[in-house]
Amino acid sequence: MYTYDTLLAKVTTAGGPVREVTDPATGAPIGSVPVNTVADLDGAVARAVAAQPEWAALSDEDRRQTLLALADAVDASAEALALVLSREQGKPLNGPNARFEVGACASWLRANAALDLPTETVLDDESGHAVLHYRPVGTVGVITPWNWPMMIAIWQIAPSLRMGNTVVAKPSEYTTLSGLALAAVLNDVLPAGVLEVVTGAGEIGDALVRRPEIGKVMFTGSTATGSKIISASADNITRLTLELGGNDAGIVLPDVDPAAIAEDLFWGAFINTGQTCAALKRLYVHDDVYDAVVQALAELAAKMPMGVGTDEANVLGPMQNKMQFDVVDSLVEDAKARGARVVLGGDPDRDAVGYFYPTTLVADIDDGAALVQQEQFGPALPIVRFSDVDEVVAAANGIEAGLGASVWSADRDAAVAVAGRLQAGTVWINSHGGVHPYVPFGGAKRSGYGLEFGVEGLKSVAVPQVISG
Ligand code: NAD
């Protein structure tokens, strides 16, 4: 069990090439993390590959029990993990943020311990007998982004370990401390080499993808990086699951009660201060309820406290980095220049030390605006007016991303009918962005391919083998 200080001491490095880590809310130094070389990567891959046969030789029940022990270890150090995460990533301790994320890590480990992927008898008659088995891939490369750095890592690590694989994980260079802290807690339970972590930026990720010993890469990040990973994987035919960028539409039909849906709309869009893959990023509202929905959202959003993550009162935090702050800022400025109406926010203090972008609602914006067409990945929601369902379905489908979407209506059947027409991996009804460890999750179109979670998630880190005869 760690305290914040003991955990930080365990993962902070003084010698060698290091990257200084600062708090995105205050600019204060937090610690420093190693910047690994390709030689370090080679060592990590070699250790993970060497550890794999023994790990795979354990019984499934032993690995199941290990996952449960990992969940207990996360719980025992939950507050320390949440503090590291909050300080480095910026997300508040409270609300659906740091404590929630650490709690989800423990839940995902337990859920992956509970799942079953039995062998399947796919043919058993006079024409023959065939059984489908799921074998370990070997060593899995896990490359993660900076928005949910612990939870997304666990999404890949838990099923990989359960299926008898070892893992080499590369956290984002923006949230390395969080990745190392989580691994430190897990590695107190795991045998040596089963979970290795390498640090660094894109070139280390690229080198990891290109290693022939890596049988599968689980990647979560931007669509542009996903394309590069597809190219890098080509020589070795490395298997890939790609969870890429989204620009999810939410469609509000005219029969809703605006006050009743405002809070779920808000969190659908602003969870993790908008820095969420499957957040609601383009809100389309029917003309009949447009003004009432905008007003209800604005009243609610204005009350949500934003500030330093370690202040218990806050539920919204800073942007994690200046790069993303600038993306949001320029998209909102562009919307203003096009004549859109800023209902709330839109006036950041660009000279402040922390990367705080205020909660922003942009109404009366045309569908062609960059704030609608591109992923903002921050707390600025464009709200587009519509009057025709066919037109709004075309607008929702009119971009290259297809991660999630949502339909909001008092009439479930009407919502499901619209949902079926949307090109997205998940369509939520009257909510947005909720994930569950038993429900498969993955993108359509340029939001990637492959599924995670549930039994499909276990299959994604396994190699199917048919034994016939
Ligand atoms: P990113 O693509 O910049 O970086 C993600 C990871 O890839 C980092 O660890 C980075 O170091 C690494 N990387 C960069 N170049 C690489 C290369 N050439 N080869 C291998 N690895 C490389 O993404 P980001 O800015 O950290 O994350 C934000 C994006 O992630 C958003 O677009 C968001 O929508 C998306 N995202 C998607 C999901 C999902 O489940 N679909 C979840 C979270 C975030």
Side-chain angles (χ1 to χ4, degrees):
M1 176 186 162
Y2 292 94
T3 63
Y4 174 74
D5 289 335
T6 58
L7 189 53
L8 200 63
K10 177 130 183 155
V11 296
T12 287
T13 314
V18 294
R19 179 179 171 114
E20 299 296 328
V21 181
T22 53
D23 184 330
T26 63
I30 304 171
S32 51
V33 290
V35 178
N36 286 160
T37 62
V38 173
D40 295 323
L41 169 69
D42 291 346
V45 171
R47 288 190 294 277
V49 168
Q52 197 269 334
E54 204 171 321
W55 179 249
L58 291 176
S59 69
D60 187 46
E61 183 55 27
D62 283 345
R63 286 196 298 272
R64 206 190 273 268
Q65 291 303 327
T66 305
L67 258 58
L68 294 175
L70 291 174
D72 291 344
V74 168
D75 278 345
S77 294
E79 195 61 10
L81 286 165
L83 271 164
V84 170
L85 176 60
S86 177
R87 291 213 63 197
E88 184 188 49
Q89 206 284 335
K91 63 182 69 191
L93 290 169
N94 279 329
N97 293 298
R99 290 185 180 121
F100 167 83
E101 179 167 351
V102 174
C105 291
S107 304
W108 240 266
L109 285 159
R110 293 197 174 97
N112 274 277
L115 286 166
D116 268 320
L117 178 52
T119 58
E120 293 169 42
T121 301
V122 289
L123 181 68
D124 187 24
D125 61 20
E126 63 287 349
S127 66
H129 183 77
V131 179
L132 180 57
H133 298 256
Y134 292 93
R135 309 297 189 198
V137 175
T139 298
V140 175
V142 167
I143 302 177
T144 44
W146 48 261
N147 57 339
W148 293 90
M150 293 187 182
M151 187 173 77
I152 291 177
I154 283 289
W155 285 355
Q156 327 299 343
I157 292 168
S160 296
L161 298 186
R162 173 69 195 280
M163 294 308 292
N165 306 290
T166 55
V167 169
V168 178
K170 195 206 81 64
S172 167
E173 59 274 32
Y174 291 106
T175 48
T176 306
L177 209 49
S178 299
L180 289 172
L182 177 67
V185 169
L186 301 180
N187 273 329
D188 285 344
V189 175
L190 290 169
V194 169
L195 171 62
E196 291 284 332
V197 180
V198 287
T199 64
E203 60 284 1
I204 293 293
D206 179 70
L208 176 60
V209 175
R210 290 177 189 276
R211 291 302 308 241
E213 304 93 327
I214 298 295
K216 167 102 197 197
V217 170
M218 304 289 288
F219 171 72
T220 309
S222 64
T223 299
T225 305
S227 284
K228 291 182 194 163
I229 287 177
I230 292 169
S231 302
S233 71
D235 282 351
N236 297 316
I237 322 287
T238 307
R239 285 159 178 75
L240 300 176
T241 291
L242 301 174
E243 294 287 358
L244 308 179
N247 191 3
D248 294 9
I251 298 175
V252 178
L253 298 180
D255 63 354
V256 298
D257 173 353
I261 64 169
E263 186 157 0
D264 287 333
L265 278 177
F266 176 82
W267 283 117
F270 290 93
I271 183 168
N272 201 29
T273 317
Q275 302 160 106
T276 298
C277 52
L280 201 176
K281 292 172 180 152
R282 305 176 280 154
L283 182 58
Y284 295 88
V285 182
H286 192 275
D287 198 31
D288 289 358
V289 285
Y290 187 87
D291 293 336
V293 168
V294 170
Q295 188 183 339
L297 253 181
E299 282 170 11
L300 188 95
K303 290 189 210 137
M304 294 291 181
M306 176 185 284
V308 176
T310 48
D311 180 333
E312 299 279 349
N314 293 325
V315 293
L316 298 166
M319 304 300 300
Q320 202 282 327
N321 52 68
K322 179 75 165 58
M323 170 194 71
Q324 203 61 42
F325 177 99
D326 288 343
V327 169
V328 177
D329 193 17
S330 71
L331 289 172
V332 174
E333 289 306 307
D334 175 74
K336 284 186 198 167
R338 297 169 70 105
R341 177 168 59 100
V342 176
V343 179
L344 184 72
D347 53 349
D349 178 355
R350 299 183 183 88
D351 300 323
V353 180
Y355 306 133
F356 288 101
Y357 195 91
T359 307
T360 297
L361 297 174
V362 181
D364 298 328
I365 182 167
D366 66 284
D367 192 48
L371 181 59
V372 181
Q373 294 294 311
Q374 295 171 26
E375 182 184 34
Q376 71 280 58
F377 213 62
L381 181 67
I383 310 173
V384 183
R385 197 185 287 268
F386 80 90
S387 54
D388 179 82
V389 170
D390 290 341
E391 280 177 19
V392 80
V393 167
N397 290 338
I399 61 162
E400 291 173 341
L403 189 56
S406 57
V407 184
W408 304 69
S409 172
D411 179 347
R412 197 175 178 284
D413 292 343
V416 169
V418 175
R421 300 172 63 190
L422 298 177
Q423 297 163 348
T426 303
V427 185
W428 290 275
I429 307 293
N430 292 326
S431 69
H432 197 112
V435 290
H436 188 286
Y438 292 165
V439 179
F441 178 75
K445 303 203 288 190
R446 294 198 184 187
S447 292
Y449 49 74
L451 288 170
E452 337 180 59
F453 310 162
V455 174
E456 295 304 320
L458 295 181
K459 288 180 185 173
S460 78
V461 283
V463 176
Q465 181 192 45
V466 173
I467 296 189
S468 187

